[in-house]
Amino acid sequence: MGSKRSSSASLYIMHNKNLTVSVEEALEIVLRSVNPLSFENIPLMRAFNRILYEDVVSDRMMPPVADSAMDGYAIIADDTRGASLNCPVKLHVVGEIRAGSSSTGYQVSKGTAIRIMTGAPIPQGADSVVRFEDTEEESGYIKLFCETEKYENYREAGEHIREGEHILSKGKRLNSADVGILASLHRNAVKVYKRPTVSVISTGDELADTGEEIQIHQIRNSNAYTICSEVTKYGGHARYLGIAKDSLGEMRKIFANALKSDVIISTGGVSAGKYDLVKEVCSDLNIEIHFDRVNIKPGRPCVFGTKGDKMVFGLPGNPVPALTSFIQFVRPALLRLMGATKIRKPIVNASLEQDITSGKIHHLVRGRYTIINNEFYVSKTSHQKPSMLRSMSDANCLIIIPETVTKVMAGDRVAIQLIDHDEI
Ligand code: AMP
Ligand code: MG
């Protein structure tokens, strides 16, 4: 298999063939290549935001016995018939059940009540709870000033969760309520998908890292910081491997080391320049390239390759396409690697606030939406050049101008992808 991959990769380089795909094809190819990771059993306290590996079926009822939803008195509802402000019903208080106490041995019978706290089990005989606020207690008796229905302030056994009920599905991202429910189900550990290790490499002779001395003709390496932040945001373990100079030997060494990770993300070195060497390095390392261009702006040069289960993304060097291509292609891949079932950023329609001209390409214009009277409005952010990361700093959405549209006007409805929104 290794040799097959090797020959197809070198064939690719020999013919210098361009593998241009549409945005949809690119995403399909990427997702098709994903082999989800295995699981780990982790303590519940660390489970927030992780992706569930198991289907959770309840092995018990919740609550396990009927209990009180209020601080008050457990009574028989029929005893309150005819109660009014002028003609209260009087009941004899025969005991008290605190939260955390057992109700064994307690019995409510006609004409009696038992003082009860929220969460305490309902005693035998009682079918309702009246709130303290609706009673007056004096010398061992309470007065009730209004009628009460059966099962008022009464939480039935199993009313929240039945035994055998399917509660959470494999692939769900655990929110705080989910973690609480698992705790209620007596769980102190949970099976979740492992987090992928992701090597991040910046390529380029022009780059200087933060903290390094820099010449006026050099460029600060910002991509590593943006991309590592994104990897962390989506649950991966980011491993920054530093700057690779535009030399085959150095890049090969760094990429070979990166292949120990589940995913490699490099930036730069994927266009047609003389020193754009990422594809050649991939070929040398028997990484099979599935596409090297996507019909998208910004971010047309974009490499995706695989070696066994390892995924390699060669993102563009410019900071904006590096980030937008991450969002479009790498983010869904990481989420699928972690078994997530929800991987789509929502797309909604918005009213555009200024004209935008475009080419025959799937154009992602960085935008900011607001919601006024339940309507979405969107305007593009400033500094739209691919080198200007400020367009993304201010953006909360990407305005999608499809290949078939060359101009959209103020007031037109456009599709926007909500990049700050959770996946749906
Ligand atoms: P390349 O695709 O390698 O030709 O890179 C295109 C441009 O992106 C370079 O000229 C740099 O201006 C910029 N660039 C590349 N890598 C980085 C990086 N790590 N951080 C910031 N800018 C970068
Ligand atoms: Mg470069």
Side-chain angles (χ1 to χ4, degrees):
M1 235 173 117
S3 66
K4 190 172 154 225
R5 275 217 179 79
S6 156
S7 62
S8 93
S10 45
L11 210 74
Y12 161 83
I13 289 298
M14 252 165 52
H15 295 293
N16 193 23
K17 123 184 126 167
N18 280 331
L19 302 172
T20 306
V21 290
S22 69
V23 175
E24 294 75 24
E25 284 168 337
L27 186 59
E28 199 200 309
I29 291 168
V30 167
L31 294 179
R32 216 192 302 135
S33 311
V34 176
N35 244 328
L37 299 171
S38 64
F39 70 91
E40 56 184 334
N41 216 13
I42 60 162
L44 202 54
M45 264 306 179
R46 293 204 279 109
F48 175 68
N49 236 351
R50 297 293 298 268
I51 312 286
L52 196 55
Y53 187 86
E54 51 178 320
D55 280 313
V56 175
V57 175
S58 173
D59 59 353
R60 62 195 69 237
M61 300 199 278
M62 262 181 65
V65 292
D67 64 19
S68 177
M70 285 285 173
D71 295 322
Y73 297 91
I75 59 159
I76 299 165
D78 271 351
D79 279 352
T80 66
R81 291 297 147 250
S84 70
L85 216 54
N86 295 329
C87 184
V89 163
K90 239 176 133 183
L91 299 174
H92 184 202
V93 180
V94 296
E96 176 179 286
I97 308 173
R98 298 172 57 158
S101 302
S102 160
S103 63
T104 307
Y106 289 87
Q107 170 84 37
V108 172
S109 50
K110 202 168 162 39
T112 71
I114 286 179
R115 202 178 299 112
I116 193 165
M117 307 305 145
T118 307
I122 303 271
Q124 276 240 312
D127 59 17
S128 189
V129 172
V130 281
R131 305 184 308 161
F132 278 138
E133 296 90 316
D134 298 331
T135 63
E136 262 175 28
E137 182 173 348
E138 206 183 307
S139 316
Y141 282 84
I142 50 164
K143 282 185 199 162
L144 301 179
F145 299 97
C146 59
E147 294 190 347
T148 298
E149 295 299 318
K150 270 189 183 179
Y151 303 117
E152 199 101 328
N153 303 316
Y154 182 109
R155 301 193 290 220
E156 281 180 66
E159 72 172 20
H160 182 203
I161 290 175
R162 298 185 310 277
E163 191 179 334
E165 194 178 348
H166 181 101
I167 307 297
L168 299 170
S169 297
K170 187 174 181 179
K172 184 177 198 289
R173 183 179 292 282
L174 292 169
N175 63 27
S176 22
D178 298 333
V179 180
I181 286 172
L182 287 166
S184 306
L185 292 174
H186 300 212
R187 302 283 299 266
N188 57 14
V190 62
K191 269 187 192 170
V192 294
Y193 280 93
K194 282 190 173 161
R195 300 166 58 188
T197 52
V198 182
S199 284
V200 176
I201 304 165
S202 296
T203 74
D205 285 343
E206 74 278 30
L207 301 177
D209 239 325
T210 54
E212 272 176 19
E213 223 174 281
I214 190 165
Q215 308 292 318
I216 197 78
H217 49 268
Q218 287 188 294
I219 286 171
R220 273 284 175 226
N221 170 21
S222 65
N223 285 349
Y225 296 86
T226 312
I227 298 301
C228 285
S229 304
E230 284 287 291
V231 169
T232 309
K233 174 175 174 183
Y234 291 103
H237 286 291
R239 209 174 140 230
Y240 173 47
L241 300 189
I243 295 169
K245 294 274 180 224
D246 293 320
S247 99
L248 269 181
E250 182 168 341
M251 282 175 69
R252 221 183 280 126
K253 219 161 83 192
I254 296 186
F255 272 71
N257 176 22
L259 278 170
K260 291 180 195 142
S261 310
D262 301 305
V263 178
I264 301 174
I265 306 171
S266 66
T267 61
V270 288
S271 354
K274 187 173 167 196
Y275 301 103
D276 289 331
L277 302 172
V278 167
K279 285 184 277 184
E280 204 172 330
V281 168
C282 286
S283 161
D284 286 353
L285 295 173
N286 293 331
I287 295 162
E288 183 179 3
I289 294 176
H290 302 282
F291 60 79
D292 63 3
R293 272 164 193 268
V294 183
N295 200 24
I296 192 171
K297 178 186 166 185
R300 187 187 260 269
C302 182
V303 171
F304 172 64
T306 53
K307 181 171 184 175
D309 282 348
K310 317 276 180 182
M311 308 177 95
V312 181
F313 293 91
L315 302 181
N318 264 317
V320 173
L323 179 50
T324 51
S325 299
F326 179 98
I327 295 170
Q328 302 310 313
F329 309 117
V330 189
R331 178 194 57 81
L334 293 183
L335 291 174
R336 269 289 153 80
L337 260 183
M338 286 179 282
T341 42
K342 293 182 177 177
I343 63 166
R344 260 182 0 101
K345 293 288 189 196
I347 293 176
V348 298
N349 286 328
S351 279
L352 187 63
E353 297 197 316
Q354 73 270 84
D355 299 354
I356 299 175
T357 47
S358 185
K360 282 200 172 123
I361 195 159
H362 187 94
H363 189 176
L364 299 177
V365 180
R366 281 72 73 205
R368 185 150 194 94
Y369 72 84
T370 48
I371 302 173
I372 302 166
N373 295 332
N374 300 322
E375 284 289 333
F376 283 81
Y377 294 85
V378 68
S379 56
K380 64 176 184 179
T381 55
S382 60
H383 303 90
Q384 287 277 330
K385 285 186 183 164
S387 54
M388 297 176 170
L389 204 46
R390 286 177 70 186
S391 66
M392 279 304 275
S393 163
D394 295 334
N396 59 6
C397 68
L398 295 170
I399 306 167
I400 304 169
I401 317 286
E403 272 173 58
T404 46
V405 176
T406 49
K407 182 153 192 179
V408 272
M409 314 286 277
D412 282 355
R413 305 284 285 165
V414 288
I416 60 171
Q417 186 186 38
L418 309 185
I419 54 177
D420 277 356
H421 200 285
D422 281 346
E423 277 69 18
I424 57 166

